[in-house]
Amino acid sequence: GAVVSQHPSRVICKSGTSVKIECRSLDFQATTMFWYRQFPKQSLMLMATSNEGSKATYEQGVEKDKFLINHASLTLSTLTVTSAHPEDSSFYICSAGGGDTEAFFGQGTRLTVV
Amino acid sequence: DAKTTQPNSMESNEEEPVHLPCNHSTISGTDYIHWYRQLPSQGPEYVIHGLTSNVNNRMASLAIAEDRKSSTLILHRATLRDAAVYYCITNFGSNYKLTFGKGTLLTVNP
């Protein structure tokens, strides 16, 4: 089946620095991808919808200047956490597909800000 | 968005069937019913989805009520590897957004 790959799987960064997470659709083209954040023992919270060739759509309460999303090609979306702080430490997950077909999720990226 | 209600947790014994319920009383006529599961520190994994008719695949079966206000995910023979959080999702926006509820934590006893 289709695969969505995320990289890196784990990252530790210093407070104030930026971190980029990549999400690739390996064998299909995805005009739309989604980014989620998951805190320990909680469910996935949708952060934004990444649209190929246009601006991302952010959910209410998500700072678009802090979580920069770029979807420059049909197989790659990136999420950059800018000026990261310890409270940004979380599990970030991307996905593609859904609706009347199955959605495919990346393996997730564990971000730790120290 | 259509909301779903699932039990917080369920427990099963290995090699026994498991029936995971989900209520979605506000589902619209064109919303699909999806089930995903998530193991710790992993992204969700697709299990099954359907619209009106019952569905079967190699992982599970999905039984959809005639009025579509509820559904049941059936694992025919639970294994230890089936222990996970199971999410039932029915709301899809124009961009196929998946909105996750709290899900059901399934524990499988050996």
Side-chain angles (χ1 to χ4, degrees):
Chain A
V3 176
V4 171
S5 178
Q6 262 183 262
H7 178 82
S9 58
R10 290 178 177 270
V11 60
I12 300 173
C13 71
K14 291 184 178 181
S15 186
T17 62
S18 296
V19 173
K20 180 184 286 187
I21 303 170
E22 293 186 347
C23 179
R24 294 181 184 274
S25 56
L26 297 185
D27 55 359
F28 68 102
Q29 295 181 332
T31 56
T32 303
M33 290 185 177
F34 302 94
W35 286 96
Y36 296 84
R37 178 169 53 182
Q38 185 175 34
F39 292 106
K41 299 193 182 299
Q42 294 187 21
S43 185
L44 284 77
M45 293 295 296
L46 180 66
M47 298 176 66
T49 303
S50 173
N51 304 299
E52 188 270 333
S54 65
K55 292 183 179 180
T57 305
Y58 291 82
E59 295 299 304
Q60 190 173 10
V62 178
E63 301 175 59
K64 62 180 182 180
D65 294 331
K66 181 170 185 60
F67 299 99
L68 300 179
I69 291 174
N70 184 278
H71 195 151
S73 78
L74 288 171
T75 59
L76 174 65
S77 174
T78 60
L79 169 69
T80 301
V81 183
T82 63
S83 186
H85 291 285
E87 56 265 32
D88 298 323
S89 298
S90 189
F91 192 52
Y92 292 86
I93 305 167
C94 67
S95 77
D100 58 354
T101 63
E102 64 181 279
F104 302 98
F105 290 84
Q107 312 95 309
T109 298
R110 176 77 58 192
L111 170 63
T112 303
V113 184
V114 298
Chain B
D1 292 342
K3 302 296 182 186
T4 63
T5 304
Q6 298 178 254
N8 290 332
S9 62
M10 290 186 67
E11 203 166 322
S12 173
N13 296 320
E14 200 173 9
E15 298 192 3
E16 290 185 356
V18 181
H19 290 232
L20 297 168
C22 180
N23 288 320
H24 29 79
S25 59
T26 60
I27 192 172
S28 73
T30 56
D31 284 349
Y32 279 74
I33 301 160
H34 282 229
W35 283 82
Y36 294 83
R37 69 183 186 183
Q38 186 181 27
L39 297 172
S41 297
Q42 294 187 24
E45 173 189 29
Y46 169 80
V47 178
I48 200 166
H49 78 290
L51 184 62
T52 55
S53 303
N54 294 343
V55 185
N56 300 294
N57 66 21
R58 63 176 180 82
M59 289 182 69
S61 295
L62 176 61
I64 301 172
E66 197 169 332
D67 63 6
R68 298 204 338 120
K69 294 186 177 181
S70 65
S71 61
T72 302
L73 177 69
I74 303 167
L75 305 179
H76 297 286
R77 290 182 67 217
T79 69
L80 297 178
R81 289 176 297 178
D82 291 323
V85 177
Y86 285 78
Y87 296 100
C88 166
I89 304 169
T90 62
N91 49 323
F92 302 103
S94 59
N95 285 326
Y96 306 127
K97 292 194 295 186
L98 298 181
T99 303
F100 285 77
K102 295 182 178 180
T104 296
L105 174 62
L106 175 65
T107 302
V108 180
N109 301 314

PDB file of all heavy atoms in Angstrom, chain B residues 9 16 21 35-36 38 45 60-61 70 72-74 84 97 102 105:
ATOM      1  N   SER B   9     -11.863   2.594  27.397  1.00  0.00           N
ATOM      2  CA  SER B   9     -10.999   1.417  27.383  1.00  0.00           C
ATOM      3  C   SER B   9     -11.825   0.145  27.298  1.00  0.00           C
ATOM      4  O   SER B   9     -13.000   0.133  27.668  1.00  0.00           O
ATOM      5  CB  SER B   9     -10.124   1.379  28.637  1.00  0.00           C
ATOM      6  OG  SER B   9     -10.928   1.284  29.795  1.00  0.00           O
ATOM      7  N   GLU B  16      -9.599 -14.308  21.450  1.00  0.00           N
ATOM      8  CA  GLU B  16     -11.043 -14.133  21.536  1.00  0.00           C
ATOM      9  C   GLU B  16     -11.460 -12.967  20.658  1.00  0.00           C
ATOM     10  O   GLU B  16     -10.658 -12.064  20.380  1.00  0.00           O
ATOM     11  CB  GLU B  16     -11.468 -13.880  22.980  1.00  0.00           C
ATOM     12  CG  GLU B  16     -11.333 -15.096  23.873  1.00  0.00           C
ATOM     13  CD  GLU B  16     -11.866 -14.850  25.261  1.00  0.00           C
ATOM     14  OE1 GLU B  16     -12.272 -13.701  25.552  1.00  0.00           O
ATOM     15  OE2 GLU B  16     -11.870 -15.787  26.066  1.00  0.00           O
ATOM     16  N   PRO B  21     -17.236  -0.652  20.022  1.00  0.00           N
ATOM     17  CA  PRO B  21     -18.375   0.140  19.557  1.00  0.00           C
ATOM     18  C   PRO B  21     -18.022   1.603  19.327  1.00  0.00           C
ATOM     19  O   PRO B  21     -17.068   2.131  19.914  1.00  0.00           O
ATOM     20  CB  PRO B  21     -19.360   0.009  20.714  1.00  0.00           C
ATOM     21  CG  PRO B  21     -18.472  -0.083  21.919  1.00  0.00           C
ATOM     22  CD  PRO B  21     -17.232  -0.821  21.477  1.00  0.00           C
ATOM     23  N   TRP B  35     -11.827   3.652  10.760  1.00  0.00           N
ATOM     24  CA  TRP B  35     -11.200   3.191  11.986  1.00  0.00           C
ATOM     25  C   TRP B  35      -9.679   3.153  11.775  1.00  0.00           C
ATOM     26  O   TRP B  35      -9.196   2.621  10.761  1.00  0.00           O
ATOM     27  CB  TRP B  35     -11.688   1.799  12.380  1.00  0.00           C
ATOM     28  CG  TRP B  35     -13.059   1.787  12.995  1.00  0.00           C
ATOM     29  CD1 TRP B  35     -14.254   1.808  12.339  1.00  0.00           C
ATOM     30  CD2 TRP B  35     -13.368   1.724  14.385  1.00  0.00           C
ATOM     31  NE1 TRP B  35     -15.294   1.771  13.234  1.00  0.00           N
ATOM     32  CE2 TRP B  35     -14.779   1.713  14.498  1.00  0.00           C
ATOM     33  CE3 TRP B  35     -12.604   1.669  15.554  1.00  0.00           C
ATOM     34  CZ2 TRP B  35     -15.431   1.651  15.734  1.00  0.00           C
ATOM     35  CZ3 TRP B  35     -13.259   1.607  16.778  1.00  0.00           C
ATOM     36  CH2 TRP B  35     -14.654   1.607  16.859  1.00  0.00           C
ATOM     37  N   TYR B  36      -8.992   3.719  12.736  1.00  0.00           N
ATOM     38  CA  TYR B  36      -7.536   3.677  12.751  1.00  0.00           C
ATOM     39  C   TYR B  36      -7.102   3.205  14.127  1.00  0.00           C
ATOM     40  O   TYR B  36      -7.836   3.324  15.096  1.00  0.00           O
ATOM     41  CB  TYR B  36      -6.939   5.062  12.465  1.00  0.00           C
ATOM     42  CG  TYR B  36      -7.220   5.547  11.074  1.00  0.00           C
ATOM     43  CD1 TYR B  36      -8.429   6.166  10.766  1.00  0.00           C
ATOM     44  CD2 TYR B  36      -6.307   5.350  10.040  1.00  0.00           C
ATOM     45  CE1 TYR B  36      -8.718   6.577   9.477  1.00  0.00           C
ATOM     46  CE2 TYR B  36      -6.582   5.764   8.750  1.00  0.00           C
ATOM     47  CZ  TYR B  36      -7.799   6.369   8.477  1.00  0.00           C
ATOM     48  OH  TYR B  36      -8.082   6.759   7.193  1.00  0.00           O
ATOM     49  N   GLN B  38      -3.547   3.087  16.856  1.00  0.00           N
ATOM     50  CA  GLN B  38      -2.231   3.663  17.099  1.00  0.00           C
ATOM     51  C   GLN B  38      -1.526   2.937  18.229  1.00  0.00           C
ATOM     52  O   GLN B  38      -2.062   2.805  19.331  1.00  0.00           O
ATOM     53  CB  GLN B  38      -2.353   5.154  17.451  1.00  0.00           C
ATOM     54  CG  GLN B  38      -1.023   5.861  17.572  1.00  0.00           C
ATOM     55  CD  GLN B  38      -1.157   7.321  17.936  1.00  0.00           C
ATOM     56  OE1 GLN B  38      -2.128   7.737  18.561  1.00  0.00           O
ATOM     57  NE2 GLN B  38      -0.157   8.121  17.547  1.00  0.00           N
ATOM     58  N   GLU B  45      -2.479   3.780  12.204  1.00  0.00           N
ATOM     59  CA  GLU B  45      -2.506   2.787  11.136  1.00  0.00           C
ATOM     60  C   GLU B  45      -3.948   2.569  10.708  1.00  0.00           C
ATOM     61  O   GLU B  45      -4.843   2.414  11.541  1.00  0.00           O
ATOM     62  CB  GLU B  45      -1.898   1.477  11.647  1.00  0.00           C
ATOM     63  CG  GLU B  45      -2.003   0.311  10.691  1.00  0.00           C
ATOM     64  CD  GLU B  45      -1.585  -1.002  11.322  1.00  0.00           C
ATOM     65  OE1 GLU B  45      -1.735  -1.147  12.558  1.00  0.00           O
ATOM     66  OE2 GLU B  45      -1.147  -1.900  10.597  1.00  0.00           O
ATOM     67  N   ALA B  60      -9.869  -6.794   9.975  1.00  0.00           N
ATOM     68  CA  ALA B  60     -11.054  -6.661  10.819  1.00  0.00           C
ATOM     69  C   ALA B  60     -12.312  -6.648   9.971  1.00  0.00           C
ATOM     70  O   ALA B  60     -12.261  -6.697   8.744  1.00  0.00           O
ATOM     71  CB  ALA B  60     -10.957  -5.368  11.625  1.00  0.00           C
ATOM     72  N   SER B  61     -13.433  -6.554  10.667  1.00  0.00           N
ATOM     73  CA  SER B  61     -14.730  -6.351  10.026  1.00  0.00           C
ATOM     74  C   SER B  61     -15.360  -5.102  10.614  1.00  0.00           C
ATOM     75  O   SER B  61     -15.124  -4.766  11.782  1.00  0.00           O
ATOM     76  CB  SER B  61     -15.649  -7.552  10.261  1.00  0.00           C
ATOM     77  OG  SER B  61     -15.146  -8.699   9.632  1.00  0.00           O
ATOM     78  N   SER B  70     -24.356   4.262  14.424  1.00  0.00           N
ATOM     79  CA  SER B  70     -23.354   3.552  15.210  1.00  0.00           C
ATOM     80  C   SER B  70     -22.673   2.510  14.329  1.00  0.00           C
ATOM     81  O   SER B  70     -23.189   2.136  13.272  1.00  0.00           O
ATOM     82  CB  SER B  70     -23.981   2.874  16.426  1.00  0.00           C
ATOM     83  OG  SER B  70     -24.875   1.851  16.013  1.00  0.00           O
ATOM     84  N   THR B  72     -19.539  -0.917  14.685  1.00  0.00           N
ATOM     85  CA  THR B  72     -18.743  -1.776  15.550  1.00  0.00           C
ATOM     86  C   THR B  72     -17.573  -2.340  14.768  1.00  0.00           C
ATOM     87  O   THR B  72     -17.755  -2.894  13.674  1.00  0.00           O
ATOM     88  CB  THR B  72     -19.580  -2.952  16.092  1.00  0.00           C
ATOM     89  OG1 THR B  72     -20.707  -2.431  16.815  1.00  0.00           O
ATOM     90  CG2 THR B  72     -18.749  -3.825  17.020  1.00  0.00           C
ATOM     91  N   LEU B  73     -16.403  -2.149  15.309  1.00  0.00           N
ATOM     92  CA  LEU B  73     -15.210  -2.760  14.730  1.00  0.00           C
ATOM     93  C   LEU B  73     -15.036  -4.125  15.377  1.00  0.00           C
ATOM     94  O   LEU B  73     -15.055  -4.242  16.598  1.00  0.00           O
ATOM     95  CB  LEU B  73     -13.974  -1.909  14.996  1.00  0.00           C
ATOM     96  CG  LEU B  73     -12.665  -2.487  14.493  1.00  0.00           C
ATOM     97  CD1 LEU B  73     -12.632  -2.467  12.961  1.00  0.00           C
ATOM     98  CD2 LEU B  73     -11.475  -1.732  15.063  1.00  0.00           C
ATOM     99  N   ILE B  74     -14.874  -5.133  14.552  1.00  0.00           N
ATOM    100  CA  ILE B  74     -14.756  -6.495  15.058  1.00  0.00           C
ATOM    101  C   ILE B  74     -13.377  -7.051  14.717  1.00  0.00           C
ATOM    102  O   ILE B  74     -13.006  -7.134  13.539  1.00  0.00           O
ATOM    103  CB  ILE B  74     -15.847  -7.401  14.456  1.00  0.00           C
ATOM    104  CG1 ILE B  74     -17.235  -6.823  14.766  1.00  0.00           C
ATOM    105  CG2 ILE B  74     -15.727  -8.831  15.007  1.00  0.00           C
ATOM    106  CD1 ILE B  74     -18.347  -7.455  13.970  1.00  0.00           C
ATOM    107  N   ALA B  84      -3.810  -1.549  21.355  1.00  0.00           N
ATOM    108  CA  ALA B  84      -3.569  -0.221  20.788  1.00  0.00           C
ATOM    109  C   ALA B  84      -4.727   0.685  21.167  1.00  0.00           C
ATOM    110  O   ALA B  84      -5.704   0.251  21.771  1.00  0.00           O
ATOM    111  CB  ALA B  84      -3.452  -0.297  19.264  1.00  0.00           C
ATOM    112  N   LYS B  97     -10.210  16.288   6.093  1.00  0.00           N
ATOM    113  CA  LYS B  97      -9.588  16.364   7.405  1.00  0.00           C
ATOM    114  C   LYS B  97     -10.114  15.254   8.298  1.00  0.00           C
ATOM    115  O   LYS B  97     -11.298  14.961   8.307  1.00  0.00           O
ATOM    116  CB  LYS B  97      -9.889  17.710   8.069  1.00  0.00           C
ATOM    117  CG  LYS B  97      -9.238  18.886   7.384  1.00  0.00           C
ATOM    118  CD  LYS B  97      -9.281  20.114   8.262  1.00  0.00           C
ATOM    119  CE  LYS B  97     -10.690  20.589   8.499  1.00  0.00           C
ATOM    120  NZ  LYS B  97     -10.695  21.877   9.250  1.00  0.00           N
ATOM    121  N   LYS B 102     -10.987  10.722  21.419  1.00  0.00           N
ATOM    122  CA  LYS B 102     -10.075  10.150  22.412  1.00  0.00           C
ATOM    123  C   LYS B 102      -9.769   8.681  22.150  1.00  0.00           C
ATOM    124  O   LYS B 102      -8.769   8.163  22.617  1.00  0.00           O
ATOM    125  CB  LYS B 102     -10.663  10.330  23.805  1.00  0.00           C
ATOM    126  CG  LYS B 102     -10.778  11.787  24.224  1.00  0.00           C
ATOM    127  CD  LYS B 102     -11.321  11.919  25.635  1.00  0.00           C
ATOM    128  CE  LYS B 102     -11.385  13.393  26.028  1.00  0.00           C
ATOM    129  NZ  LYS B 102     -11.926  13.566  27.410  1.00  0.00           N
ATOM    130  N   LEU B 105      -8.793   2.539  24.292  1.00  0.00           N
ATOM    131  CA  LEU B 105      -7.563   1.796  24.579  1.00  0.00           C
ATOM    132  C   LEU B 105      -7.909   0.331  24.775  1.00  0.00           C
ATOM    133  O   LEU B 105      -8.620  -0.026  25.723  1.00  0.00           O
ATOM    134  CB  LEU B 105      -6.889   2.349  25.828  1.00  0.00           C
ATOM    135  CG  LEU B 105      -5.662   1.579  26.325  1.00  0.00           C
ATOM    136  CD1 LEU B 105      -4.553   1.597  25.268  1.00  0.00           C
ATOM    137  CD2 LEU B 105      -5.156   2.136  27.643  1.00  0.00           C
TER     138      LEU B 105
END
